[in-house]
Amino acid sequence: MRYISTRGEAKSIDFEGALFSGYAPDGGLFMPQEIPTLDYNTLRTWSTFSYPELVKELSSLFISSELIPRKELNDLIDSAFQRFRHKNVVHLARLKNGLNVLELWHGVTYAFKDLSLSCTGQFLQYFLKKRKRHITILVGTSGDTGSSAIESVRGENNMDIFVLLPKDLCSQIQELQMTTVIEENVHVFIAHGNSDEIDEPIKELFADADFARKYNLMSLNSINWSRIMVQIAHYFYAYFQCTPSMDMTPLPAVEIVVPTGGGGNLTAGYIAQQMGLPIQLVAVVNNNDIIHRTIQHGDFSFSGSVKSTLASAMDIQEPYNMERILWLLSDCDGSLIKTLMEQFYTSKNLTLPEGLHRKQTQVLLSTRLSSKVPGCRAQSKTCS
């Protein structure tokens, strides 16, 4: 499997290259050159798999066995999940009226990002030991990414992690999770500004190709493809747990509600849908509603400063993973995405082309909620 940039101008790379990259050299995000599609028999077979087994199967589709042999890949994923508190790693809680909640919070930091980052940390170690390399990881966080990233690499002597967190905008427990880790390779800085603003200097460092190469820079934010890849398993596991029968033709659809900020988990869900999983995705945002406005009206525009909410990890006005979704919707038209994204980042104002918006509304639903709107979850069948 090769990986190409959403903006179409960077050379293709393998999984190792994508893993150790931040943004692509042309400013885009790396994506698989092809999205594999799964037939009915494969879905039926996978329906009996545990969550770790699904992660293994999915990862093997996107990671060449020449890079990581299958047995070693399985071992890495098993090691990644050893610190999770639930015996099944994740758990589907069945509530009333057909509502289910997929519990993704059984990792070390109680954030769903522990799932993807624990695996990504193992993949990094595999290649670093093999290549005898050292890397510098840059992470900007609006909440839980920073602590999950730290836990995935803490204490390792072949990588240093630098985390920027916005002053007074993370929850107390998230801030303590980041600032109380005493390890030589962990460096945490509290910065003035919101989550989008602290991403700017990180983007500038990655844009300086000579600097990025000299210090072996990489990111563990969800610009990293490995994060998206592992999260695809959430949707397969949720579907197989919720579907009434795998013997129906066609297979029944399951609605999955996805709380989202940067759009990484939503991107993973859309890829699962592209692979043949019959799911309906509903993106749920807070007062920072750019994803909702994009889906509803094609209005991919900045609406002012980031608004602080109880869900600080979702307080994002620039959801960079929407670029991946738009790229897929455009039939991988890198030239179009380059034009659209350059307009967005220059003017903070973009109206999607009518055809692209129409395709988006056919595959994604959305809603906007605040703390003043109770009872939202009762509308969904399962929540991831």
Side-chain angles (χ1 to χ4, degrees):
M1 177 69 74
R2 302 290 293 179
Y3 292 83
I4 57 178
S5 170
T6 50
R7 302 192 189 182
E9 295 182 350
K11 293 181 179 180
S12 69
I13 57 178
D14 59 16
F15 173 77
E16 182 180 0
L19 175 69
F20 284 96
S21 297
Y23 290 90
D26 61 2
L29 301 174
F30 282 113
M31 284 287 284
Q33 200 162 21
E34 299 176 358
I35 302 296
T37 54
L38 305 177
D39 58 25
Y40 170 78
N41 289 331
T42 300
L43 291 174
R44 186 184 175 95
T45 299
W46 283 18
S47 67
T48 63
F49 288 177
S50 66
Y51 176 82
E53 288 171 336
L54 286 171
V55 174
K56 293 171 186 176
E57 291 298 325
L58 284 161
S59 297
S60 71
L61 297 178
F62 295 102
I63 304 174
S64 165
S65 59
E66 284 76 28
L67 280 177
I68 306 181
R70 182 57 191 269
K71 183 182 183 307
E72 293 181 62
L73 179 65
N74 290 351
D75 291 343
L76 292 173
I77 293 169
D78 285 336
S79 295
F81 296 139
Q82 284 182 353
R83 298 173 70 191
F84 281 73
R85 292 178 298 276
H86 197 283
K87 64 178 181 179
N88 297 326
V89 183
V90 302
H91 173 67
L92 189 85
R94 300 186 184 277
L95 307 180
K96 296 179 179 179
N97 302 320
L99 173 66
N100 305 283
V101 176
L102 188 62
E103 298 177 357
L104 303 175
W105 56 77
H106 296 291
V108 177
T109 75
Y110 296 86
F112 85 96
K113 294 168 185 175
D114 289 336
L115 291 156
S116 58
L117 281 165
S118 61
C119 293
T120 300
Q122 291 293 319
F123 300 151
L124 290 173
Q125 274 300 333
Y126 176 83
F127 289 114
L128 288 174
K129 290 177 180 177
K130 194 172 184 178
R131 314 296 186 208
K132 295 181 171 56
R133 290 180 58 198
H134 181 280
I135 57 170
T136 302
I137 300 167
L138 303 182
V139 174
T141 185
S142 57
D144 46 19
T145 294
S147 50
S148 287
I150 288 169
E151 288 298 331
S152 72
V153 302
R154 61 180 294 171
E156 303 292 354
N157 58 17
N158 50 11
M159 58 182 86
D160 279 272
I161 183 169
F162 291 81
V163 177
L164 289 181
L165 63 108
K167 179 178 174 58
D168 299 327
L169 295 179
C170 293
S171 69
Q172 184 180 32
I173 188 171
Q174 289 168 335
E175 184 171 316
L176 288 171
Q177 284 177 338
M178 289 180 265
T179 57
T180 59
V181 175
I182 310 301
E183 299 283 2
E184 289 187 4
N185 72 323
V186 176
H187 317 278
V188 179
F189 299 89
I190 296 177
H192 292 282
N194 59 49
S195 58
D196 290 334
E197 290 169 337
I198 64 175
D199 278 340
E200 289 304 316
I202 293 176
K203 290 178 184 177
E204 291 178 12
L205 290 176
F206 279 113
D208 186 335
D210 291 336
F211 184 88
R213 191 180 307 109
K214 179 179 179 180
Y215 292 101
N216 293 321
L217 298 188
M218 67 161 293
S219 174
L220 285 180
N221 286 89
S222 59
I223 61 174
N224 194 303
W225 162 252
S226 177
R227 291 270 309 272
I228 307 299
M229 177 186 73
V230 175
Q231 288 171 177
I232 297 171
H234 304 350
Y235 296 88
F236 281 88
Y237 187 77
Y239 180 83
F240 295 139
Q241 292 290 308
C242 291
T243 187
S245 173
M246 290 298 293
D247 294 326
M248 301 170 67
T249 305
L251 289 172
V254 169
E255 185 180 76
I256 301 185
V257 176
V258 188
T260 190
N265 205 14
L266 186 65
T267 301
Y270 182 51
I271 293 172
Q273 192 182 79
Q274 292 278 292
M275 294 176 72
L277 195 67
I279 54 176
Q280 174 62 65
L281 296 169
V282 183
V284 180
V285 302
N286 59 20
N287 292 335
N288 301 285
D289 63 352
I290 183 171
I291 290 179
H292 174 57
R293 287 184 285 108
T294 303
I295 294 172
Q296 294 292 316
H297 310 296
D299 177 22
F300 190 54
S301 301
F302 193 69
S303 64
S305 61
V306 173
K307 302 174 182 66
S308 295
T309 74
L310 293 174
S312 59
M314 295 169 60
D315 292 347
I316 294 172
Q317 285 275 16
E318 296 185 22
Y320 39 79
N321 275 291
M322 282 301 294
E323 180 168 342
R324 284 182 161 122
I325 293 176
L326 295 175
W327 181 76
L328 289 169
L329 287 167
S330 72
D331 296 323
C332 311
D333 187 341
S335 177
L336 173 63
I337 297 305
K338 175 177 167 45
T339 299
L340 294 178
M341 298 312 297
E342 286 182 348
Q343 178 183 334
F344 171 72
Y345 284 113
T346 299
S347 67
K348 306 296 185 184
N349 186 25
L350 174 67
T351 299
L352 296 185
E354 183 179 345
L356 190 60
H357 178 235
R358 185 169 56 251
K359 289 181 69 174
Q360 182 179 243
T361 59
Q362 293 170 355
V363 297
L364 296 174
L365 302 176
S366 68
T367 189
R368 172 182 176 273
L369 300 172
S370 72
S371 58
K372 296 180 181 179
V373 185
C376 62
R377 289 184 175 177
Q379 301 171 7
S380 66
K381 295 184 179 69
T382 184
C383 181
S384 174

